[in-house]
Each structure stands twice: as structure tokens, then as C-alpha cells.
């Protein structure tokens, strides 16, 4: 991809989220764009559409993946935790070490696929401490920070809020709100999770409400960015809606679509 153009030139940005191991399409996601934005969830721990894919079935087999997906879908989280604990207890090696090794293999492939320039923030299943090792010079990692692209200011807030799923990068509502506040007024607000609006947080396939952010919703109403871009909810009830002056867009489940969402001005 070409460098960010001068302000009298039209700018095109491609946005992806929930990559979940799709390195093949990620390598092409920046074609025709001046920059790529990634809103996190690079890791594939368990593919809810294809239970044979991901770290979990690689370690414990497809049958156990079927079982744990069924329990989580039925919101039987305690039973899912018990099953997971019993499987890990029977595995050779330290759990944290085994997971980190598997994540490192995925990160090596995925970060190598990022075009230049890429601006990225973390998802709730990501492991932020590892990103510094794999992000090359063409990839800028931002969390609670801003950057200018083509004359517009983009703010980035990564991670998710705490849930019974206990994914790796879940933080408190207070910590998340502080990052939103640090970003301040921007033209485009980029987050992994959506604002807390029922239509945007309900997953029609998983049949549950995911966690959205009230602080993000309040910031949208208060600062009125042109766009609020996010992912996290793979099959949302509504993919796009306006909140006041702001166009709120779920940029899509890149792992399954392989297609970035485009923003041009």
C-alpha cells in the first residue's frame, strides 16, 4: 500500500475486525487502500461455525469442542468451566505456556500478513503483551490513543469488558471508560466492542447479548464523531445504525467474510 496521501487527495481506508486466524485474506485486505485498520481478535481459539478449527480443538479434539460450544451457547457457563478445567488437567504441560505457544504461532503468521501502514488495536481474545514482539515497523498499535490518517483523527480503544467467558483481554468498565476519555473528540472512533445498544450487541446465531460499552455510547452522544467503527459481535441483529450525528458500523466478521469494510473521503 502507498503511504498516507496528502490532504488534497482522496483517502481510502479498509477496516477489519475479528480476524480469528484468517491470514490468507488478511494479506489482501489492504489492496487498493491507503491504510488498513484492524480492530482486534486476531487469535482463533475456537471457531463456533467450524469446531475443528482453533487452538481448543487442536488440543482437545472436535468432540470436546462440540460439547463446550453447546454449553456456552446454552449459557451454561459453569458447566463449560468445569469441562474446560478437566480437559486442561489431563494435558501435559503448563496451561499458560501451552496457550502462549499456540498464540505465538498464530501471531507470527498474522502480523506478517499486515500491509504497510496498518493501525491496530486489541480484541478481547488477544494477548497484548505479545503484540510488541510481532508488530513490524509498518504496524502501529494503539489503545486509548489517536492518530491522523488523511487529515482525519482516528481514536482507538481495544479490549472487551468482563464477562463469564473470561477471555484474555477483558478489563473493568472503569478502565475502559478511562481509555475512551483519553481518546477525546475524534472524527472516527475505532473500538473492538460496540456501544451498548441492544440492536448492536445481540448475536443472532449465538442467541445472546454480547457486552457493549455504556461509556462508548455516552462518548458518541457527547463528542459526535463522524463514525463509530467496531466488531466483536459476529452476527449482529443490526450491522449499521445512526446515533445522533454518528454512523455506527459493525465492520464485519472478517474470519468468515474475508472482506474489509471501506471508508473513503
Amino acid at each position: 500500500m502507498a503511504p498516507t496521501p496528502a490532504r488534497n487527495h482522496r483517502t481510502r481506508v479498509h477496516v477489519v475486525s475479528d480476524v480469528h486466524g484468517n491470514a490468507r485474506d488478511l494479506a489482501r485486505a489492504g489492496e487498493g487502500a491507503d491504510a488498513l485498520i484492524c480492530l482486534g481478535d486476531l487469535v482463533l481459539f475456537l471457531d463456533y461455525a467450524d469446531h475443528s478449527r482453533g487452538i481448543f480443538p487442536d488440543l482437545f479434539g472436535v468432540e470436546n469442542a462440540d460439547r463446550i460450544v453447546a454449553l456456552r451457547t446454552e449459557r451454561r457457563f459453569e458447566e463449560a468451566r468445569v469441562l474446560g478445567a478437566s480437559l486442561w488437567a489431563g494435558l501435559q504441560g503448563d496451561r499458560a505456556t501451552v496457550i502462549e505457544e499456540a498464540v505465538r504461532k498464530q501471531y507470527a503468521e498474522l502480523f506478517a500478513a499486515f500491509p504497510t501502514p496498518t493501525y491496530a488495536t486489541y480484541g478481547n481474545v488477544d494477548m497484548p503483551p505479545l503484540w510488541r514482539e510481532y508488530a513490524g515497523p509498518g504496524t502501529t498499535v494503539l489503545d486509548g490513543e489517536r492518530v491522523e490518517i488523511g487529515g482525519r483523527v482516528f481514536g482507538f480503544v481495544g479490549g472487551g469488558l468482563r464477562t463469564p467467558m473470561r477471555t484474555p483481554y477483558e478489563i473493568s468498565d472503569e478502565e475502559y471508560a478511562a481509555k475512551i476519555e483519553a481518546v477525546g473528540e475524534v472524527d472516527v472512533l475505532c473500538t473492538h466492542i460496540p456501544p451498548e445498544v441492544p440492536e448492536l450487541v445481540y448475536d443472532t446465531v449465538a442467541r445472546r447479548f454480547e457486552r457493549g460499552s455504556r461509556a462508548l455510547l455516552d462518548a458518541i452522544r457527547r463528542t459526535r464523531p463522524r463514525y463509530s467503527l467496531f466488531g466483536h459481535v459476529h452476527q449482529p441483529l443490526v450491522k449499521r445504525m445512526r446515533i445522533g450525528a454518528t454512523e455506527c458500523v459493525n465492520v464485519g466478521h472478517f474470519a468468515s467474510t474475508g472482506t474489509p469494510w471501506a471508508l473513503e473521503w
Side-chain angles (χ1 to χ4, degrees), residues 152-196:
R152 288 189 177 179
V153 179
F154 288 68
F156 290 79
V157 174
L161 298 175
R162 288 175 181 156
T163 71
M165 303 287 281
R166 298 182 182 179
T167 52
Y169 192 43
E170 293 181 354
I171 59 177
S172 69
D173 290 61
E174 293 76 17
E175 185 178 351
Y176 194 89
K179 292 196 294 185
I180 292 287
E181 186 67 23
V183 166
E185 295 187 14
V186 295
D187 297 303
V188 184
L189 188 49
C190 300
T191 59
H192 178 66
I193 63 174
E196 191 180 74

Short mmCIF file of all heavy atoms in Angstrom, two decimals, residues 152-196:
data_model
loop_
_atom_site.label_atom_id
_atom_site.label_comp_id
_atom_site.label_asym_id
_atom_site.label_seq_id
_atom_site.Cartn_x
_atom_site.Cartn_y
_atom_site.Cartn_z
N ARG A 152 -7.95 13.17 8.86
CA ARG A 152 -8.97 12.89 9.88
C ARG A 152 -8.32 12.24 11.09
O ARG A 152 -7.35 11.48 10.96
CB ARG A 152 -10.08 11.98 9.33
CG ARG A 152 -11.00 12.68 8.34
CD ARG A 152 -12.19 11.81 8.00
NE ARG A 152 -13.11 12.51 7.10
CZ ARG A 152 -14.24 11.99 6.61
NH1 ARG A 152 -14.57 10.74 6.94
NH2 ARG A 152 -15.01 12.69 5.82
N VAL A 153 -8.88 12.52 12.25
CA VAL A 153 -8.34 11.98 13.50
C VAL A 153 -9.11 10.71 13.88
O VAL A 153 -10.34 10.73 13.99
CB VAL A 153 -8.43 13.02 14.64
CG1 VAL A 153 -7.89 12.42 15.93
CG2 VAL A 153 -7.64 14.28 14.27
N PHE A 154 -8.36 9.65 14.07
CA PHE A 154 -8.92 8.35 14.45
C PHE A 154 -8.50 8.04 15.89
O PHE A 154 -7.32 8.15 16.23
CB PHE A 154 -8.41 7.24 13.53
CG PHE A 154 -8.97 7.25 12.15
CD1 PHE A 154 -8.66 8.27 11.25
CD2 PHE A 154 -9.81 6.24 11.72
CE1 PHE A 154 -9.17 8.28 9.97
CE2 PHE A 154 -10.35 6.23 10.44
CZ PHE A 154 -10.02 7.26 9.55
N GLY A 155 -9.46 7.65 16.71
CA GLY A 155 -9.17 7.22 18.07
C GLY A 155 -9.37 5.72 18.20
O GLY A 155 -10.28 5.16 17.59
N PHE A 156 -8.52 5.08 19.02
CA PHE A 156 -8.55 3.62 19.15
C PHE A 156 -8.66 3.21 20.61
O PHE A 156 -7.91 3.71 21.46
CB PHE A 156 -7.27 3.01 18.56
CG PHE A 156 -7.16 3.11 17.07
CD1 PHE A 156 -6.77 4.30 16.47
CD2 PHE A 156 -7.44 2.02 16.27
CE1 PHE A 156 -6.66 4.40 15.09
CE2 PHE A 156 -7.34 2.11 14.89
CZ PHE A 156 -6.95 3.31 14.30
N VAL A 157 -9.59 2.31 20.89
CA VAL A 157 -9.72 1.72 22.22
C VAL A 157 -9.91 0.21 22.04
O VAL A 157 -10.87 -0.24 21.41
CB VAL A 157 -10.91 2.33 22.99
CG1 VAL A 157 -11.11 1.59 24.32
CG2 VAL A 157 -10.68 3.81 23.25
N GLY A 158 -8.99 -0.56 22.62
CA GLY A 158 -9.03 -2.00 22.45
C GLY A 158 -9.58 -2.74 23.65
O GLY A 158 -9.85 -2.16 24.71
N GLY A 159 -9.75 -4.05 23.47
CA GLY A 159 -10.19 -4.91 24.56
C GLY A 159 -11.69 -5.02 24.67
O GLY A 159 -12.45 -4.39 23.95
N GLY A 160 -12.11 -5.84 25.64
CA GLY A 160 -13.53 -6.02 25.92
C GLY A 160 -13.78 -5.87 27.41
O GLY A 160 -12.85 -5.75 28.21
N LEU A 161 -15.04 -5.89 27.78
CA LEU A 161 -15.44 -5.79 29.18
C LEU A 161 -15.61 -7.19 29.78
O LEU A 161 -15.79 -8.17 29.06
CB LEU A 161 -16.73 -4.99 29.30
CG LEU A 161 -16.64 -3.54 28.81
CD1 LEU A 161 -18.01 -2.87 28.86
CD2 LEU A 161 -15.64 -2.75 29.64
N ARG A 162 -15.58 -7.27 31.09
CA ARG A 162 -15.59 -8.56 31.77
C ARG A 162 -16.90 -9.31 31.55
O ARG A 162 -17.98 -8.72 31.62
CB ARG A 162 -15.31 -8.36 33.26
CG ARG A 162 -13.86 -7.97 33.50
CD ARG A 162 -13.57 -7.65 34.93
NE ARG A 162 -12.15 -7.27 35.08
CZ ARG A 162 -11.67 -6.53 36.04
NH1 ARG A 162 -12.49 -6.06 36.98
NH2 ARG A 162 -10.38 -6.22 36.10
N THR A 163 -16.75 -10.61 31.29
CA THR A 163 -17.90 -11.48 31.02
C THR A 163 -17.64 -12.84 31.67
O THR A 163 -16.51 -13.15 32.07
CB THR A 163 -18.08 -11.71 29.51
OG1 THR A 163 -17.02 -12.55 29.03
CG2 THR A 163 -18.10 -10.40 28.73
N PRO A 164 -18.67 -13.69 31.73
CA PRO A 164 -18.46 -15.07 32.21
C PRO A 164 -17.53 -15.89 31.32
O PRO A 164 -17.04 -16.94 31.75
CB PRO A 164 -19.88 -15.66 32.22
CG PRO A 164 -20.79 -14.48 32.31
CD PRO A 164 -20.11 -13.39 31.54
N MET A 165 -17.27 -15.42 30.10
CA MET A 165 -16.39 -16.16 29.19
C MET A 165 -14.93 -16.06 29.62
O MET A 165 -14.11 -16.92 29.27
CB MET A 165 -16.54 -15.62 27.76
CG MET A 165 -17.96 -15.66 27.23
SD MET A 165 -18.52 -17.31 26.83
CE MET A 165 -17.74 -17.55 25.25
N ARG A 166 -14.58 -15.00 30.34
CA ARG A 166 -13.22 -14.80 30.86
C ARG A 166 -12.17 -14.90 29.75
O ARG A 166 -11.18 -15.63 29.86
CB ARG A 166 -12.92 -15.81 31.97
CG ARG A 166 -13.85 -15.66 33.17
CD ARG A 166 -13.49 -16.65 34.27
NE ARG A 166 -14.41 -16.55 35.40
CZ ARG A 166 -14.35 -17.30 36.50
NH1 ARG A 166 -13.41 -18.23 36.61
NH2 ARG A 166 -15.22 -17.14 37.49
N THR A 167 -12.35 -14.16 28.68
CA THR A 167 -11.36 -14.12 27.61
C THR A 167 -10.15 -13.30 28.05
O THR A 167 -10.22 -12.54 29.03
CB THR A 167 -11.98 -13.56 26.33
OG1 THR A 167 -12.64 -12.32 26.61
CG2 THR A 167 -13.00 -14.55 25.75
N PRO A 168 -9.00 -13.42 27.35
CA PRO A 168 -7.74 -12.88 27.87
C PRO A 168 -7.69 -11.38 28.12
O PRO A 168 -7.08 -10.94 29.10
CB PRO A 168 -6.73 -13.28 26.79
CG PRO A 168 -7.30 -14.48 26.16
CD PRO A 168 -8.78 -14.26 26.17
N TYR A 169 -8.29 -10.57 27.26
CA TYR A 169 -8.16 -9.12 27.45
C TYR A 169 -9.52 -8.49 27.75
O TYR A 169 -10.05 -7.71 26.98
CB TYR A 169 -7.50 -8.45 26.24
CG TYR A 169 -7.08 -7.01 26.50
CD1 TYR A 169 -6.46 -6.65 27.70
CD2 TYR A 169 -7.30 -6.03 25.55
CE1 TYR A 169 -6.09 -5.33 27.93
CE2 TYR A 169 -6.91 -4.71 25.78
CZ TYR A 169 -6.31 -4.38 26.97
OH TYR A 169 -5.93 -3.07 27.22
N GLU A 170 -10.06 -8.87 28.90
CA GLU A 170 -11.26 -8.23 29.44
C GLU A 170 -10.83 -7.33 30.59
O GLU A 170 -10.06 -7.74 31.46
CB GLU A 170 -12.25 -9.28 29.95
CG GLU A 170 -12.85 -10.15 28.85
CD GLU A 170 -13.85 -11.16 29.37
OE1 GLU A 170 -14.02 -11.29 30.59
OE2 GLU A 170 -14.47 -11.84 28.53
N ILE A 171 -11.34 -6.11 30.59
CA ILE A 171 -10.96 -5.14 31.60
C ILE A 171 -12.22 -4.59 32.27
O ILE A 171 -13.34 -4.82 31.81
CB ILE A 171 -10.13 -3.99 31.01
CG1 ILE A 171 -10.93 -3.26 29.92
CG2 ILE A 171 -8.81 -4.52 30.44
CD1 ILE A 171 -10.19 -2.06 29.32
N SER A 172 -12.03 -3.84 33.36
CA SER A 172 -13.17 -3.30 34.09
C SER A 172 -13.83 -2.17 33.30
O SER A 172 -13.20 -1.54 32.43
CB SER A 172 -12.72 -2.75 35.45
OG SER A 172 -11.92 -1.58 35.27
N ASP A 173 -15.09 -1.90 33.62
CA ASP A 173 -15.80 -0.79 32.99
C ASP A 173 -15.07 0.52 33.24
O ASP A 173 -15.03 1.39 32.36
CB ASP A 173 -17.23 -0.71 33.53
CG ASP A 173 -18.10 -1.86 33.05
OD1 ASP A 173 -17.77 -3.03 33.34
OD2 ASP A 173 -19.10 -1.60 32.37
N GLU A 174 -14.49 0.67 34.42
CA GLU A 174 -13.81 1.92 34.77
C GLU A 174 -12.55 2.11 33.94
O GLU A 174 -12.27 3.22 33.46
CB GLU A 174 -13.45 1.92 36.27
CG GLU A 174 -14.65 1.97 37.20
CD GLU A 174 -15.39 0.63 37.32
OE1 GLU A 174 -14.81 -0.41 36.95
OE2 GLU A 174 -16.55 0.65 37.77
N GLU A 175 -11.78 1.04 33.76
CA GLU A 175 -10.56 1.14 32.95
C GLU A 175 -10.91 1.43 31.49
O GLU A 175 -10.23 2.23 30.82
CB GLU A 175 -9.75 -0.16 33.05
CG GLU A 175 -8.41 -0.10 32.34
CD GLU A 175 -7.62 -1.38 32.50
OE1 GLU A 175 -8.03 -2.26 33.30
OE2 GLU A 175 -6.58 -1.52 31.81
N TYR A 176 -11.96 0.79 31.01
CA TYR A 176 -12.38 1.02 29.63
C TYR A 176 -12.84 2.47 29.44
O TYR A 176 -12.46 3.13 28.47
CB TYR A 176 -13.50 0.05 29.25
CG TYR A 176 -13.75 -0.02 27.76
CD1 TYR A 176 -13.06 -0.92 26.97
CD2 TYR A 176 -14.67 0.82 27.15
CE1 TYR A 176 -13.27 -0.99 25.60
CE2 TYR A 176 -14.89 0.77 25.78
CZ TYR A 176 -14.19 -0.14 25.02
OH TYR A 176 -14.40 -0.20 23.66
N ALA A 177 -13.63 2.96 30.39
CA ALA A 177 -14.12 4.34 30.31
C ALA A 177 -12.97 5.34 30.32
O ALA A 177 -13.02 6.37 29.64
CB ALA A 177 -15.07 4.63 31.47
N ALA A 178 -11.90 5.04 31.07
CA ALA A 178 -10.75 5.94 31.13
C ALA A 178 -10.05 6.01 29.77
O ALA A 178 -9.58 7.08 29.36
CB ALA A 178 -9.77 5.46 32.20
N LYS A 179 -10.00 4.89 29.06
CA LYS A 179 -9.39 4.91 27.73
C LYS A 179 -10.25 5.69 26.74
O LYS A 179 -9.73 6.43 25.90
CB LYS A 179 -9.16 3.48 27.24
CG LYS A 179 -8.10 2.72 28.02
CD LYS A 179 -7.62 1.48 27.31
CE LYS A 179 -8.67 0.42 27.17
NZ LYS A 179 -8.12 -0.81 26.56
N ILE A 180 -11.56 5.54 26.84
CA ILE A 180 -12.46 6.32 25.99
C ILE A 180 -12.25 7.81 26.26
O ILE A 180 -12.18 8.64 25.33
CB ILE A 180 -13.93 5.93 26.26
CG1 ILE A 180 -14.21 4.50 25.76
CG2 ILE A 180 -14.89 6.93 25.62
CD1 ILE A 180 -14.30 4.35 24.27
N GLU A 181 -12.14 8.18 27.51
CA GLU A 181 -11.94 9.58 27.89
C GLU A 181 -10.60 10.09 27.37
O GLU A 181 -10.50 11.24 26.92
CB GLU A 181 -11.99 9.72 29.42
CG GLU A 181 -11.94 11.14 29.92
CD GLU A 181 -13.16 11.95 29.56
OE1 GLU A 181 -14.23 11.35 29.32
OE2 GLU A 181 -13.05 13.19 29.50
N ALA A 182 -9.58 9.25 27.40
CA ALA A 182 -8.25 9.66 26.94
C ALA A 182 -8.24 9.97 25.44
O ALA A 182 -7.50 10.84 24.98
CB ALA A 182 -7.23 8.58 27.25
N VAL A 183 -9.06 9.26 24.69
CA VAL A 183 -9.13 9.48 23.24
C VAL A 183 -9.75 10.85 22.93
O VAL A 183 -9.29 11.57 22.05
CB VAL A 183 -9.93 8.34 22.57
CG1 VAL A 183 -10.32 8.72 21.15
CG2 VAL A 183 -9.11 7.07 22.56
N GLY A 184 -10.80 11.20 23.65
CA GLY A 184 -11.43 12.51 23.47
C GLY A 184 -12.20 12.63 22.16
O GLY A 184 -12.72 11.64 21.64
N GLU A 185 -12.25 13.83 21.62
CA GLU A 185 -13.01 14.10 20.40
C GLU A 185 -12.19 13.70 19.17
O GLU A 185 -11.06 14.14 19.00
CB GLU A 185 -13.38 15.57 20.32
CG GLU A 185 -14.35 16.01 21.40
CD GLU A 185 -14.84 17.44 21.20
OE1 GLU A 185 -14.64 17.99 20.09
OE2 GLU A 185 -15.41 17.99 22.16
N VAL A 186 -12.79 12.87 18.34
CA VAL A 186 -12.13 12.40 17.12
C VAL A 186 -13.15 12.39 15.98
O VAL A 186 -14.37 12.51 16.20
CB VAL A 186 -11.55 10.98 17.31
CG1 VAL A 186 -10.42 10.99 18.33
CG2 VAL A 186 -12.64 9.99 17.71
N ASP A 187 -12.64 12.22 14.77
CA ASP A 187 -13.53 12.08 13.62
C ASP A 187 -14.08 10.66 13.51
O ASP A 187 -15.24 10.46 13.15
CB ASP A 187 -12.79 12.44 12.33
CG ASP A 187 -12.33 13.89 12.30
OD1 ASP A 187 -13.20 14.78 12.45
OD2 ASP A 187 -11.12 14.13 12.14
N VAL A 188 -13.23 9.69 13.80
CA VAL A 188 -13.61 8.28 13.70
C VAL A 188 -13.16 7.58 14.98
O VAL A 188 -11.97 7.60 15.32
CB VAL A 188 -12.97 7.60 12.47
CG1 VAL A 188 -13.48 6.17 12.34
CG2 VAL A 188 -13.27 8.39 11.20
N LEU A 189 -14.11 6.97 15.67
CA LEU A 189 -13.82 6.27 16.93
C LEU A 189 -13.80 4.77 16.65
O LEU A 189 -14.83 4.19 16.26
CB LEU A 189 -14.89 6.63 17.96
CG LEU A 189 -14.69 6.17 19.40
CD1 LEU A 189 -13.30 6.49 19.92
CD2 LEU A 189 -15.75 6.78 20.29
N CYS A 190 -12.64 4.16 16.81
CA CYS A 190 -12.42 2.75 16.47
C CYS A 190 -12.27 1.92 17.75
O CYS A 190 -11.35 2.15 18.53
CB CYS A 190 -11.16 2.61 15.63
SG CYS A 190 -11.19 3.51 14.06
N THR A 191 -13.15 0.96 17.94
CA THR A 191 -13.12 0.12 19.12
C THR A 191 -13.35 -1.33 18.71
O THR A 191 -13.83 -1.61 17.61
CB THR A 191 -14.20 0.53 20.13
OG1 THR A 191 -15.50 0.44 19.48
CG2 THR A 191 -14.00 1.96 20.61
N HIS A 192 -13.00 -2.25 19.60
CA HIS A 192 -13.32 -3.65 19.30
C HIS A 192 -14.78 -3.94 19.59
O HIS A 192 -15.46 -4.58 18.79
CB HIS A 192 -12.43 -4.60 20.09
CG HIS A 192 -12.78 -6.04 19.84
ND1 HIS A 192 -12.60 -6.64 18.62
CD2 HIS A 192 -13.35 -6.98 20.65
CE1 HIS A 192 -13.03 -7.89 18.68
NE2 HIS A 192 -13.49 -8.13 19.90
N ILE A 193 -15.27 -3.49 20.74
CA ILE A 193 -16.66 -3.77 21.12
C ILE A 193 -17.56 -2.62 20.72
O ILE A 193 -17.12 -1.48 20.57
CB ILE A 193 -16.79 -4.07 22.63
CG1 ILE A 193 -16.39 -2.84 23.47
CG2 ILE A 193 -15.98 -5.29 23.00
CD1 ILE A 193 -16.64 -3.03 24.96
N PRO A 194 -18.87 -2.89 20.54
CA PRO A 194 -19.80 -1.84 20.14
C PRO A 194 -20.29 -1.02 21.33
O PRO A 194 -20.08 -1.40 22.49
CB PRO A 194 -20.96 -2.63 19.53
CG PRO A 194 -20.93 -3.95 20.22
CD PRO A 194 -19.49 -4.23 20.54
N PRO A 195 -20.95 0.09 21.04
CA PRO A 195 -21.65 0.80 22.10
C PRO A 195 -22.81 -0.06 22.63
O PRO A 195 -23.30 -0.95 21.92
CB PRO A 195 -22.17 2.07 21.42
CG PRO A 195 -22.23 1.73 19.97
CD PRO A 195 -21.12 0.74 19.73
N GLU A 196 -23.21 0.20 23.85
CA GLU A 196 -24.24 -0.62 24.48
C GLU A 196 -25.63 -0.23 23.96
O GLU A 196 -26.38 0.51 24.59
CB GLU A 196 -24.19 -0.47 26.00
CG GLU A 196 -25.04 -1.48 26.75
CD GLU A 196 -24.95 -1.29 28.25
OE1 GLU A 196 -25.54 -0.33 28.76
OE2 GLU A 196 -24.26 -2.10 28.89
#
